[in-house]
Amino acid sequence: MKFNQNFNDVSDNYLFAEVAERVAKYTAENPDKTVLKLGIGDVTLPLAPEVIKDLHAGVHDMFVKSTFKGYGPYEGYAFLRDKIRGYYSSFGVELDNSEIFVSDGAKSDLGNILDIFSADNTVLVPDPVYPVYVDTNLMAGRKVIYADANEENGFLPMPDPEVEADIIYICSPNNPTGAAYDREQLKAWVDYALEKDAVILYDAAYECFISEDNLVRSIFQVAGAKKCAIEFCSFSKMAGFTGTRCGYTVISHELERDGVSANKLWLRRQSTKFNGVPYIVQKGAAAVFSEEGQRQIKANLEYYKNNARLIAQCMDELGIWYTGGKNSPYIWLKCPNGMGSWEFFDYLLHNAQVVGTPGAGFGKNGEGYFRLTAFGSTEVTKEAVERIKSLLK
Ligand code: PLP
């Protein structure tokens, strides 16, 4: 027996462990100090009441013989796919239910989708980036190349016609940089993918944070995208489902190569390796799209967006360069005075007792940058912002 040797190419996942270790050490040595955490990428507000109501209804259905559910459809129940289809229709994207696949979250699908692609495809990934894209491809032995995101391009790299790629990852609004592509920029990526016969794996996990009108919620709002893109989305950040687990992937019937349909391959893959999302969870997810559900989740999103605004205003006042904060819960800032990411992490922890995430953990271009997040409470965010202002002004 031999283990998969490709795992040797995957670096140890040390970023958050290292952050936790440094914070634990500081706290042990300074028990009188209150440490404020703006590093967290997880939601903190509880599920909306409408969601809870329908989760309860789902539990009751499972208790009654006539409504009890066993194995469900691999692709998700029609009642939820109908709602997702309606949601897309609200911003002008018409889908068929058979193009929507419900899953237990975007992370699983982003990794699992690779089953339908050949191992010899070259993968183009922006740097810095959500580490899952790189690691899942390295585990499968694929060649990964990088598109440099930096201050010059506003952390939104554009396609280079000289670069040959088969699979392209785009995350917009982006984790960790909070930067979001506008429609014209996405059109350039779609045109590039069509030209190269490549596929775009579009991660829309943060689309719910989009506030500006010139931005699109879905890559399918861009002409030609149905022929070259797969979209991944999630209830995690939209409705606080990080612990409840539900997401969806959209693959148009128009995405074909050599007469083979990506949609059919994915259905085949899911029906072989996946037995669907729990009925109860899908009931809760469907409640997100009711009128009252939308009102409630939007209030929660507004809470996080307000935190993001407070952090962004702080950076504006201090004259610190940053991306994000407007259409994203993330603020990606340039470490002041030329500090490195970890140097700034320690400086902030020791002098303001504020914790963020060093940008260097997201790729080589993250060095010298730092991520703050809006998922904490407003009280903590306000206090952290005041401490940062006093320290850096
Ligand atoms: N995609 C991005 C860019 C993320 O930042 C995250 C989670 O933080 C995910 C996907 C994972 O989403 P899910 O909870 O649906 O697996």
Side-chain angles (χ1 to χ4, degrees):
M1 183 279 264
K2 266 197 195 157
F3 285 122
N4 179 349
Q5 302 299 306
N6 296 324
F7 276 67
N8 296 333
D9 300 329
V10 181
S11 61
D12 285 339
N13 195 358
Y14 77 100
L15 176 63
F16 291 100
E18 177 72 22
V19 166
E21 203 172 295
R22 290 193 192 201
V23 174
K25 183 166 179 288
Y26 179 81
T27 315
E29 287 166 2
N30 301 276
D32 53 320
K33 296 272 189 346
T34 319
V35 173
L36 305 177
K37 295 186 179 160
L38 292 193
I40 182 171
D42 198 354
V43 294
T44 52
L45 292 175
L47 294 173
E50 280 301 290
V51 171
I52 295 294
K53 196 174 86 192
D54 281 15
L55 287 172
H56 281 151
V59 170
H60 189 75
D61 287 348
M62 297 302 264
F63 174 65
V64 178
K65 194 164 194 311
S66 60
T67 50
F68 169 78
K69 303 278 185 298
Y71 290 123
Y74 311 113
E75 324 88 289
Y77 283 97
F79 67 79
L80 177 55
R81 296 161 96 199
D82 283 342
K83 298 273 189 203
I84 297 170
R85 183 167 47 78
Y87 179 62
Y88 272 77
S89 187
S90 73
F91 44 79
V93 175
E94 300 307 330
L95 298 172
D96 188 80
N97 274 12
S98 61
E99 296 174 311
I100 300 163
F101 297 85
V102 176
S103 74
D104 63 349
K107 187 177 188 175
S108 321
D109 280 7
L110 282 158
N112 295 336
I113 195 74
L114 296 173
D115 276 4
I116 73 166
F117 297 109
S118 163
D120 58 9
N121 283 314
T122 297
V123 182
L124 178 62
V125 179
D127 174 343
V129 82
Y130 180 54
V132 169
Y133 313 150
V134 175
D135 291 350
T136 50
N137 278 290
L138 292 179
M139 285 173 187
R142 272 189 205 89
K143 182 178 165 198
V144 178
I145 56 173
Y146 295 92
D148 284 325
N150 48 41
E151 210 173 314
E152 287 69 53
N153 57 31
F155 283 90
L156 293 169
M158 295 304 293
D160 175 353
E162 307 283 300
V163 171
E164 300 297 327
D166 306 302
I167 299 174
I168 302 156
Y169 283 85
I170 297 180
C171 177
S172 181
N174 188 277
N175 178 15
T177 70
Y181 285 107
D182 65 24
R183 190 187 289 266
E184 287 68 40
Q185 290 169 318
L186 284 177
K187 177 80 175 98
W189 275 110
V190 166
D191 290 346
Y192 168 81
L194 290 170
E195 164 75 26
K196 299 287 178 193
D197 209 19
V199 66
I200 294 173
L201 302 184
Y202 189 78
D203 186 343
Y206 295 95
E207 65 80 17
C208 53
F209 283 92
I210 288 176
S211 319
E212 292 179 321
D213 290 343
N214 61 333
L215 303 181
V216 293
R217 299 194 161 270
S218 159
I219 194 160
F220 299 124
Q221 289 172 269
V222 174
K226 284 189 172 179
K227 290 193 179 345
C228 66
I230 296 177
E231 181 157 297
F232 303 85
C233 205
S234 171
F235 292 92
S236 282
K237 309 296 155 92
M238 185 213 280
F241 272 58
T242 52
T244 310
R245 308 305 306 145
C246 197
Y248 52 90
T249 288
V250 178
I251 310 183
S252 164
H253 292 297
E254 291 181 36
L255 179 55
E256 283 187 352
R257 290 294 182 275
D258 305 321
V260 178
S261 150
N263 182 294
K264 281 217 174 89
L265 292 186
W266 182 239
L267 178 60
R268 189 73 186 84
R269 189 269 172 212
Q270 290 297 77
S271 56
T272 303
K273 296 196 187 180
F274 185 60
N275 250 341
V277 177
Y279 167 74
I280 298 164
V281 170
Q282 293 190 58
K283 282 285 284 181
V288 165
F289 298 105
S290 70
E291 206 174 303
E292 185 54 18
Q294 280 289 298
R295 203 192 54 71
Q296 292 172 356
I297 66 154
K298 280 187 181 146
N300 287 356
L301 287 169
E302 212 33 66
Y303 180 87
Y304 296 134
K305 282 184 189 177
N306 184 49
N307 290 346
R309 270 193 291 274
L310 293 172
I311 303 171
Q313 271 163 14
C314 166
M315 297 304 136
D316 286 334
E317 278 176 40
L318 293 168
I320 292 176
W321 190 92
Y322 68 97
T323 52
K326 286 191 192 70
N327 304 291
S328 163
Y330 299 121
I331 288 88
W332 177 255
L333 59 113
K334 187 171 185 173
C335 300
N337 307 321
M339 276 189 255
S341 294
W342 282 104
E343 195 186 347
F344 185 58
F345 174 89
D346 287 333
Y347 181 71
L348 212 52
L349 174 61
H350 289 255
N351 297 291
Q353 293 76 45
V354 172
V355 178
T357 312
F362 298 99
K364 76 171 172 42
N365 292 329
E367 181 52 90
Y369 293 86
F370 200 73
R371 191 189 76 172
L372 295 174
T373 80
F375 286 123
S377 74
T378 300
E379 295 69 42
V380 166
T381 307
K382 275 187 178 156
E383 162 121 31
V385 156
E386 287 312 315
R387 290 189 192 179
I388 293 171
K389 273 191 212 162
S390 328
L391 180 65
L392 298 178
K393 73 176 176 226

Coordinates of all heavy atoms in Angstrom, one line a residue, residues 101-175:
F101 N -27.8 22.2 -7.8 CA -27.5 21.0 -7.0 C -27.3 21.5 -5.5 O -26.4 22.2 -5.2 CB -26.2 20.3 -7.5 CG -26.3 19.8 -8.9 CD1 -26.1 20.6 -10.0 CD2 -26.6 18.4 -9.1 CE1 -26.1 20.1 -11.2 CE2 -26.6 17.9 -10.4 CZ -26.4 18.7 -11.5
V102 N -28.2 21.0 -4.6 CA -28.0 21.4 -3.2 C -27.0 20.5 -2.6 O -26.9 19.3 -2.9 CB -29.4 21.2 -2.5 CG1 -29.3 21.5 -1.0 CG2 -30.5 22.1 -3.2
S103 N -26.2 21.1 -1.7 CA -25.1 20.3 -1.1 C -25.0 20.7 0.4 O -25.7 21.6 0.9 CB -23.8 20.6 -1.8 OG -23.3 21.9 -1.4
D104 N -24.0 20.1 1.1 CA -23.8 20.5 2.5 C -22.8 21.6 2.6 O -22.2 21.8 3.7 CB -23.3 19.2 3.3 CG -22.0 18.8 2.8 OD1 -21.5 19.2 1.7 OD2 -21.4 17.9 3.5
G105 N -22.6 22.4 1.6 CA -21.8 23.6 1.7 C -20.9 23.8 0.5 O -20.6 22.8 -0.3
A106 N -20.4 25.0 0.3 CA -19.5 25.3 -0.8 C -18.2 24.6 -0.7 O -17.6 24.2 -1.8 CB -19.4 26.8 -0.9
K107 N -17.7 24.5 0.5 CA -16.3 23.9 0.6 C -16.3 22.5 0.0 O -15.4 22.1 -0.7 CB -15.9 23.9 2.1 CG -14.4 23.5 2.3 CD -14.1 23.6 3.7 CE -12.7 23.4 4.0 NZ -12.3 23.7 5.5
S108 N -17.3 21.7 0.4 CA -17.3 20.3 -0.1 C -17.4 20.3 -1.6 O -16.7 19.6 -2.3 CB -18.5 19.6 0.4 OG -18.8 19.9 1.7
D109 N -18.3 21.1 -2.2 CA -18.5 21.1 -3.6 C -17.2 21.6 -4.4 O -16.9 21.1 -5.4 CB -19.7 22.0 -4.0 CG -21.0 21.2 -3.8 OD1 -21.0 20.1 -3.3 OD2 -22.1 21.8 -4.2
L110 N -16.6 22.6 -3.8 CA -15.4 23.2 -4.4 C -14.3 22.1 -4.5 O -13.5 22.0 -5.5 CB -14.8 24.4 -3.7 CG -15.6 25.7 -3.9 CD1 -15.4 26.7 -2.8 CD2 -15.2 26.3 -5.2
G111 N -14.2 21.3 -3.5 CA -13.3 20.1 -3.5 C -13.7 19.0 -4.4 O -13.0 18.5 -5.3
N112 N -15.0 18.6 -4.2 CA -15.6 17.5 -4.9 C -15.7 17.6 -6.5 O -15.6 16.7 -7.2 CB -16.9 17.1 -4.4 CG -16.9 16.7 -2.9 OD1 -15.8 16.2 -2.5 ND2 -17.9 16.8 -2.2
I113 N -15.9 18.9 -6.9 CA -16.1 19.1 -8.3 C -14.9 18.6 -9.2 O -15.1 18.3 -10.3 CB -16.4 20.7 -8.6 CG1 -17.0 20.9 -10.0 CG2 -15.1 21.5 -8.4 CD1 -18.4 20.5 -10.1
L114 N -13.8 18.6 -8.5 CA -12.5 18.2 -9.2 C -12.6 16.8 -9.7 O -11.9 16.4 -10.7 CB -11.3 18.4 -8.3 CG -11.1 19.9 -8.0 CD1 -10.0 20.0 -7.0 CD2 -10.8 20.7 -9.2
D115 N -13.5 16.0 -9.2 CA -13.7 14.6 -9.7 C -14.1 14.6 -11.2 O -13.8 13.6 -11.8 CB -14.9 13.9 -8.9 CG -14.4 13.3 -7.6 OD1 -13.3 13.5 -7.2 OD2 -15.3 12.7 -6.9
I116 N -14.7 15.7 -11.6 CA -15.2 15.6 -13.0 C -14.1 16.1 -14.0 O -14.4 16.1 -15.2 CB -16.5 16.3 -13.3 CG1 -16.4 17.9 -13.2 CG2 -17.6 15.9 -12.3 CD1 -17.6 18.6 -13.7
F117 N -13.0 16.6 -13.5 CA -12.0 17.1 -14.4 C -10.7 16.2 -14.4 O -10.4 15.5 -13.5 CB -11.5 18.5 -13.9 CG -12.6 19.5 -14.0 CD1 -13.2 20.0 -12.8 CD2 -13.1 20.0 -15.2 CE1 -14.2 20.9 -12.9 CE2 -14.1 20.9 -15.2 CZ -14.7 21.4 -14.1
S118 N -10.1 16.2 -15.6 CA -8.9 15.4 -15.8 C -7.8 15.9 -14.9 O -7.7 17.0 -14.7 CB -8.6 15.4 -17.3 OG -7.3 15.0 -17.5
A119 N -6.9 14.9 -14.5 CA -5.8 15.3 -13.6 C -4.8 16.1 -14.3 O -3.9 16.7 -13.6 CB -5.2 14.0 -13.0
D120 N -4.8 16.1 -15.6 CA -3.7 16.9 -16.3 C -4.1 18.3 -16.7 O -3.4 19.0 -17.4 CB -3.2 16.1 -17.5 CG -4.3 15.8 -18.5 OD1 -5.4 16.3 -18.3 OD2 -4.0 15.1 -19.5
N121 N -5.2 18.7 -16.2 CA -5.6 20.1 -16.4 C -4.7 21.1 -15.6 O -4.3 20.7 -14.4 CB -7.0 20.4 -15.9 CG -8.1 19.9 -16.9 OD1 -7.9 20.1 -18.1 ND2 -9.0 19.2 -16.4
T122 N -4.4 22.2 -16.1 CA -3.6 23.2 -15.4 C -4.6 24.2 -14.7 O -5.6 24.6 -15.3 CB -2.7 24.0 -16.4 OG1 -1.8 23.1 -16.9 CG2 -2.0 25.2 -15.7
V123 N -4.3 24.5 -13.5 CA -5.2 25.3 -12.7 C -4.7 26.7 -12.4 O -3.5 26.8 -11.9 CB -5.5 24.6 -11.3 CG1 -6.5 25.3 -10.5 CG2 -5.9 23.1 -11.6
L124 N -5.5 27.7 -12.6 CA -5.0 29.1 -12.4 C -5.8 29.6 -11.2 O -7.0 29.6 -11.1 CB -5.4 29.9 -13.6 CG -5.0 31.4 -13.5 CD1 -3.5 31.6 -13.3 CD2 -5.5 32.2 -14.8
V125 N -5.0 30.0 -10.2 CA -5.6 30.4 -8.9 C -5.0 31.8 -8.6 O -3.8 32.0 -8.7 CB -5.2 29.4 -7.8 CG1 -5.7 29.9 -6.4 CG2 -5.7 28.0 -8.1
P126 N -5.9 32.7 -8.1 CA -5.3 34.0 -7.7 C -4.5 33.9 -6.4 O -4.8 33.0 -5.6 CB -6.6 34.9 -7.4 CG -7.7 34.0 -7.6 CD -7.3 32.7 -8.0
D127 N -3.6 34.7 -6.2 CA -2.8 34.7 -5.0 C -2.8 36.1 -4.4 O -2.3 37.0 -5.2 CB -1.3 34.3 -5.3 CG -0.4 34.4 -4.1 OD1 -0.7 35.1 -3.1 OD2 0.7 33.7 -4.2
P128 N -3.2 36.4 -3.2 CA -3.7 35.5 -2.2 C -5.1 34.9 -2.4 O -5.8 35.5 -3.2 CB -3.7 36.4 -0.9 CG -4.0 37.7 -1.4 CD -3.3 37.8 -2.8
V129 N -5.4 33.8 -1.7 CA -6.7 33.2 -2.0 C -7.1 32.3 -0.8 O -6.3 31.9 0.0 CB -6.5 32.4 -3.3 CG1 -5.9 31.0 -3.1 CG2 -7.9 32.2 -4.0
Y130 N -8.4 32.0 -0.8 CA -9.0 30.9 0.1 C -8.2 29.6 -0.2 O -8.2 29.1 -1.3 CB -10.4 30.8 -0.3 CG -11.3 29.8 0.4 CD1 -11.4 29.8 1.8 CD2 -12.0 28.9 -0.2 CE1 -12.2 28.9 2.5 CE2 -12.9 28.0 0.4 CZ -12.9 28.0 1.8 OH -13.7 27.1 2.5
P131 N -7.5 29.1 0.8 CA -6.5 28.0 0.6 C -7.1 26.7 0.0 O -6.4 25.9 -0.6 CB -6.0 27.7 2.0 CG -6.3 28.9 2.8 CD -7.5 29.5 2.2
V132 N -8.4 26.5 0.1 CA -9.0 25.3 -0.4 C -8.8 25.0 -1.9 O -8.6 23.9 -2.3 CB -10.6 25.3 -0.1 CG1 -11.3 24.2 -0.8 CG2 -10.8 25.3 1.4
Y133 N -8.8 26.1 -2.7 CA -8.6 25.9 -4.1 C -7.3 25.2 -4.4 O -7.2 24.3 -5.3 CB -8.7 27.2 -4.9 CG -9.8 28.1 -4.6 CD1 -9.7 29.5 -4.7 CD2 -11.1 27.6 -4.1 CE1 -10.7 30.4 -4.4 CE2 -12.1 28.5 -3.8 CZ -11.9 29.8 -3.9 OH -12.9 30.7 -3.6
V134 N -6.2 25.7 -3.8 CA -4.9 25.2 -4.1 C -4.7 23.8 -3.5 O -4.3 22.9 -4.2 CB -3.8 26.2 -3.4 CG1 -2.4 25.6 -3.6 CG2 -3.9 27.6 -4.1
D135 N -5.1 23.6 -2.3 CA -4.8 22.4 -1.6 C -5.6 21.2 -2.3 O -5.0 20.1 -2.4 CB -5.2 22.5 -0.1 CG -4.3 23.4 0.7 OD1 -3.2 23.8 0.1 OD2 -4.6 23.7 1.8
T136 N -6.8 21.4 -2.6 CA -7.6 20.3 -3.3 C -7.0 19.9 -4.6 O -7.0 18.7 -4.9 CB -9.1 20.7 -3.5 OG1 -9.1 22.0 -4.2 CG2 -9.8 20.8 -2.2
N137 N -6.4 20.9 -5.3 CA -5.8 20.5 -6.6 C -4.4 19.9 -6.4 O -4.1 18.9 -7.1 CB -5.7 21.8 -7.5 CG -7.0 22.0 -8.2 OD1 -7.3 21.3 -9.1 ND2 -7.7 23.0 -7.8
L138 N -3.7 20.3 -5.4 CA -2.4 19.7 -5.1 C -2.6 18.2 -4.7 O -1.9 17.3 -5.1 CB -1.6 20.4 -4.0 CG -1.1 21.8 -4.4 CD1 -0.4 22.5 -3.3 CD2 -0.2 21.8 -5.7
M139 N -3.7 18.0 -3.9 CA -3.9 16.6 -3.4 C -4.2 15.7 -4.6 O -4.0 14.5 -4.6 CB -5.2 16.6 -2.5 CG -4.9 17.1 -1.1 SD -6.4 17.3 -0.2 CE -5.8 18.1 1.3
A140 N -4.8 16.3 -5.7 CA -5.1 15.5 -6.9 C -3.9 15.5 -7.9 O -4.1 14.9 -9.0 CB -6.4 16.0 -7.5
G141 N -2.8 16.2 -7.5 CA -1.7 16.1 -8.4 C -1.7 17.1 -9.5 O -1.0 16.9 -10.5
R142 N -2.6 18.0 -9.5 CA -2.7 19.0 -10.6 C -1.7 20.1 -10.5 O -1.2 20.5 -9.4 CB -4.1 19.6 -10.7 CG -5.0 18.8 -11.5 CD -6.3 19.5 -11.8 NE -7.3 18.5 -12.0 CZ -8.0 17.9 -11.0 NH1 -7.9 18.3 -9.8 NH2 -8.8 16.9 -11.3
K143 N -1.3 20.6 -11.7 CA -0.4 21.7 -11.7 C -1.1 23.0 -11.4 O -2.1 23.3 -12.0 CB 0.2 21.8 -13.1 CG 1.3 22.9 -13.3 CD 1.8 22.9 -14.7 CE 2.6 24.2 -15.0 NZ 2.8 24.4 -16.4
V144 N -0.6 23.8 -10.5 CA -1.3 25.0 -10.1 C -0.4 26.2 -10.4 O 0.8 26.2 -10.1 CB -1.5 25.0 -8.5 CG1 -2.2 26.4 -8.1 CG2 -2.5 23.9 -8.1
I145 N -0.9 27.1 -11.2 CA -0.2 28.4 -11.4 C -1.0 29.5 -10.8 O -2.2 29.4 -10.5 CB 0.0 28.6 -13.0 CG1 -1.3 28.6 -13.7 CG2 1.0 27.5 -13.5 CD1 -1.2 28.9 -15.2
Y146 N -0.3 30.7 -10.7 CA -1.0 31.8 -9.9 C -1.2 33.0 -10.7 O -0.3 33.4 -11.6 CB -0.1 32.1 -8.7 CG -0.1 30.9 -7.7 CD1 0.9 29.9 -7.8 CD2 -1.1 30.7 -6.8 CE1 0.9 28.8 -7.0 CE2 -1.1 29.6 -5.9 CZ -0.1 28.7 -6.0 OH -0.1 27.6 -5.2
A147 N -2.2 33.7 -10.4 CA -2.5 35.1 -11.0 C -2.2 36.1 -9.8 O -2.9 36.0 -8.8 CB -3.9 35.2 -11.5
D148 N -1.2 36.9 -10.0 CA -0.8 37.8 -8.9 C -1.9 38.9 -8.6 O -2.2 39.7 -9.5 CB 0.5 38.5 -9.3 CG 1.7 37.5 -9.1 OD1 1.6 36.7 -8.2 OD2 2.6 37.6 -9.9
A149 N -2.4 38.9 -7.4 CA -3.2 39.9 -6.9 C -2.4 40.8 -6.1 O -1.6 40.4 -5.2 CB -4.4 39.4 -6.1
N150 N -2.5 42.1 -6.3 CA -1.6 43.1 -5.6 C -2.2 44.5 -5.5 O -3.3 44.7 -6.1 CB -0.2 43.1 -6.2 CG -0.2 43.3 -7.7 OD1 -1.1 44.0 -8.2 ND2 0.6 42.5 -8.4
E151 N -1.5 45.4 -4.9 CA -2.0 46.7 -4.8 C -2.3 47.4 -6.1 O -3.3 48.1 -6.3 CB -1.0 47.5 -4.0 CG -1.6 48.6 -3.1 CD -0.6 49.3 -2.2 OE1 0.2 48.6 -1.6 OE2 -0.6 50.5 -2.2
E152 N -1.4 47.1 -7.1 CA -1.5 47.7 -8.4 C -2.8 47.4 -9.1 O -3.5 48.2 -9.7 CB -0.4 47.3 -9.3 CG 1.0 47.9 -9.0 CD 1.6 47.4 -7.7 OE1 1.7 46.1 -7.6 OE2 1.9 48.2 -6.8
N153 N -3.2 46.1 -9.0 CA -4.5 45.7 -9.6 C -5.7 45.7 -8.6 O -6.7 45.1 -8.9 CB -4.4 44.4 -10.4 CG -3.9 43.2 -9.6 OD1 -4.2 43.2 -8.4 ND2 -3.2 42.3 -10.2
G154 N -5.5 46.3 -7.4 CA -6.6 46.4 -6.5 C -6.9 45.0 -5.9 O -8.1 44.7 -5.5
F155 N -6.0 44.1 -6.0 CA -6.2 42.7 -5.6 C -7.3 42.0 -6.5 O -8.0 41.1 -6.0 CB -6.5 42.5 -4.1 CG -5.2 42.6 -3.3 CD1 -4.7 43.9 -2.9 CD2 -4.4 41.5 -3.1 CE1 -3.5 44.0 -2.2 CE2 -3.2 41.6 -2.4 CZ -2.7 42.9 -2.0
L156 N -7.4 42.5 -7.7 CA -8.3 41.8 -8.7 C -7.5 41.6 -10.0 O -7.6 42.4 -10.9 CB -9.5 42.8 -9.0 CG -10.4 43.0 -7.8 CD1 -11.4 44.2 -8.1 CD2 -11.2 41.8 -7.4
P157 N -6.8 40.5 -10.0 CA -6.0 40.2 -11.2 C -6.9 40.0 -12.4 O -8.0 39.4 -12.3 CB -5.2 38.9 -10.8 CG -6.0 38.3 -9.7 CD -6.6 39.4 -9.0
M158 N -6.4 40.4 -13.6 CA -7.2 40.2 -14.8 C -6.5 39.2 -15.7 O -5.3 38.9 -15.5 CB -7.3 41.6 -15.6 CG -8.1 42.7 -14.8 SD -9.7 42.1 -14.4 CE -10.4 42.0 -16.0
P159 N -7.2 38.6 -16.6 CA -6.6 37.5 -17.4 C -5.4 38.0 -18.3 O -5.4 39.1 -18.8 CB -7.7 37.0 -18.3 CG -8.8 38.1 -18.2 CD -8.6 38.8 -17.0
D160 N -4.4 37.1 -18.4 CA -3.3 37.4 -19.2 C -3.4 36.4 -20.4 O -3.3 35.2 -20.2 CB -2.0 37.1 -18.4 CG -0.7 37.3 -19.2 OD1 -0.8 37.4 -20.4 OD2 0.4 37.2 -18.6
P161 N -3.5 37.0 -21.6 CA -3.7 36.1 -22.8 C -2.6 35.1 -23.0 O -2.7 34.1 -23.7 CB -3.9 37.1 -24.0 CG -3.8 38.4 -23.4 CD -3.6 38.4 -21.9
E162 N -1.4 35.5 -22.5 CA -0.2 34.6 -22.6 C -0.3 33.3 -21.8 O 0.4 32.4 -22.0 CB 1.1 35.4 -22.2 CG 1.3 36.7 -22.9 CD 1.8 36.5 -24.3 OE1 2.9 35.9 -24.4 OE2 1.1 37.0 -25.2
V163 N -1.1 33.4 -20.7 CA -1.2 32.3 -19.8 C -2.2 31.2 -20.2 O -3.3 31.6 -20.6 CB -1.6 32.8 -18.4 CG1 -1.8 31.7 -17.4 CG2 -0.5 33.7 -17.8
E164 N -1.8 30.0 -20.3 CA -2.7 28.9 -20.7 C -3.2 28.2 -19.4 O -2.4 27.8 -18.5 CB -1.9 27.9 -21.5 CG -1.3 28.4 -22.8 CD -2.4 28.9 -23.8 OE1 -3.5 28.4 -23.8 OE2 -2.1 29.9 -24.5
A165 N -4.5 28.1 -19.3 CA -5.1 27.5 -18.1 C -6.3 26.7 -18.5 O -7.0 27.1 -19.5 CB -5.4 28.5 -17.0
D166 N -6.7 25.7 -17.8 CA -7.9 24.9 -18.1 C -9.0 25.1 -17.0 O -10.1 25.1 -17.3 CB -7.5 23.4 -18.1 CG -6.4 23.1 -19.0 OD1 -6.5 23.4 -20.2 OD2 -5.3 22.6 -18.6
I167 N -8.5 25.3 -15.8 CA -9.5 25.5 -14.7 C -9.1 26.8 -14.0 O -7.9 27.0 -13.6 CB -9.4 24.4 -13.7 CG1 -9.8 23.0 -14.3 CG2 -10.3 24.6 -12.5 CD1 -9.7 21.8 -13.5
I168 N -10.0 27.7 -13.9 CA -9.7 29.1 -13.3 C -10.6 29.3 -12.1 O -11.8 29.2 -12.2 CB -10.0 30.2 -14.4 CG1 -9.2 29.9 -15.7 CG2 -9.8 31.5 -13.8 CD1 -9.9 30.6 -16.9
Y169 N -10.0 29.7 -11.0 CA -10.8 30.0 -9.8 C -11.0 31.5 -9.7 O -10.0 32.3 -9.8 CB -10.1 29.5 -8.5 CG -10.2 28.0 -8.3 CD1 -9.3 27.1 -9.0 CD2 -11.2 27.5 -7.5 CE1 -9.4 25.8 -8.8 CE2 -11.3 26.1 -7.3 CZ -10.5 25.3 -8.0 OH -10.6 23.9 -7.8
I170 N -12.2 31.9 -9.5 CA -12.5 33.3 -9.1 C -13.4 33.3 -7.9 O -14.4 32.6 -7.8 CB -13.3 34.0 -10.3 CG1 -12.4 34.0 -11.6 CG2 -13.7 35.4 -9.9 CD1 -13.0 34.7 -12.7
C171 N -13.0 34.1 -7.0 CA -13.8 34.3 -5.7 C -14.2 35.8 -5.6 O -13.3 36.6 -5.4 CB -13.0 33.8 -4.5 SG -13.9 34.0 -3.0
S172 N -15.5 36.1 -5.8 CA -15.9 37.5 -5.7 C -17.2 37.6 -5.1 O -18.2 37.0 -5.6 CB -15.9 38.0 -7.2 OG -16.2 39.4 -7.2
P173 N -17.4 38.5 -4.1 CA -16.3 39.2 -3.3 C -15.4 38.1 -2.7 O -15.8 37.1 -2.3 CB -17.2 39.9 -2.3 CG -18.5 40.0 -2.8 CD -18.7 38.8 -3.6
N174 N -14.1 38.6 -2.6 CA -13.0 37.7 -2.3 C -12.8 37.5 -0.8 O -12.9 38.4 0.0 CB -11.8 38.2 -3.0 CG -10.6 37.3 -2.9 OD1 -9.9 37.2 -2.0 ND2 -10.4 36.5 -4.0
N175 N -12.4 36.3 -0.5 CA -11.8 36.0 0.8 C -10.4 35.6 0.5 O -10.2 34.7 -0.3 CB -12.5 34.8 1.5 CG -11.9 34.4 2.8 OD1 -11.1 35.2 3.3 ND2 -12.2 33.2 3.3

